Amino acid sequence: MTQTETPARVGWARGIGRGLRMRCPACGEGRAFGRFLKVRDACEACGQPLHHHRADDLPPYVTIFIVGHVVGYGVLVSELSWEWPLAWHLAIWPALTFALALALMQPIKGAVVGLQYALGMHGFGGARDEDGARERDDGRDG
């Protein structure tokens, strides 16, 4: 795909899948991240702008949810099945929590960006008005 072609819309499952693989949600070829959690301004393969995503707080929430359940279940099973010394618990569970959080944060953020792309959210939906800007009506005055 050349830089001038417009990538075809993708379904939400494909968008999430491409994001989990940390690839461009539009073409699946270019890398979505320039640094650990910094999404590139545009795809290096297809030119799709990625700068206007709004992943914000959802990736950390999802990461905490998953890691909390995995580690919590591990602690529960280990406490009920074995009698490990406290030092083992203090060595294993914080390290596992940290490693899982680091390993999952980038793919989950990519999945959120992919979902936003697939659903046409936050500027991914094309020109919603003539100048590409989208007014926001959040009910607040001023």
Side-chain angles (χ1 to χ4, degrees):
M1 183 178 310
T2 64
Q3 298 262 345
T4 58
E5 294 178 23
T6 303
R9 283 282 167 218
V10 298
W12 65 269
R14 181 169 283 175
I16 290 173
R18 289 175 175 174
L20 283 171
R21 290 189 317 273
M22 297 168 280
R23 295 294 177 193
C24 170
C27 68
E29 298 296 321
R31 294 179 302 189
F33 293 94
R35 289 179 294 212
F36 181 61
L37 291 176
K38 174 73 172 147
V39 177
R40 292 180 181 272
D41 288 336
C43 174
E44 58 194 9
C46 70
Q48 170 69 37
L50 300 173
H51 61 86
H52 42 63
H53 76 88
R54 294 289 175 259
D56 297 332
D57 292 338
L58 184 59
Y61 290 144
V62 173
T63 302
I64 290 168
F65 183 80
I66 293 170
V67 171
H69 279 79
V70 169
V71 172
Y73 182 73
V75 169
L76 178 67
V77 168
S78 68
E79 278 294 313
L80 294 176
S81 301
W82 304 286
E83 291 188 28
W84 288 354
L86 180 61
W88 287 19
H89 287 288
L90 291 175
I92 293 170
W93 302 119
L96 183 63
T97 300
F98 184 70
L100 283 174
L102 284 178
L104 292 175
M105 185 64 76
Q106 192 178 34
I108 289 173
K109 183 170 183 175
V112 170
V113 172
L115 179 63
Q116 289 177 355
Y117 174 79
L119 297 179
M121 298 169 63
H122 305 294
F124 285 122
R128 294 184 185 210
D129 54 35
E130 293 303 315
D131 63 354
R134 188 173 160 213
E135 287 188 34
R136 201 176 156 148
D137 182 16
D138 57 3
R140 290 185 269 174
D141 294 330

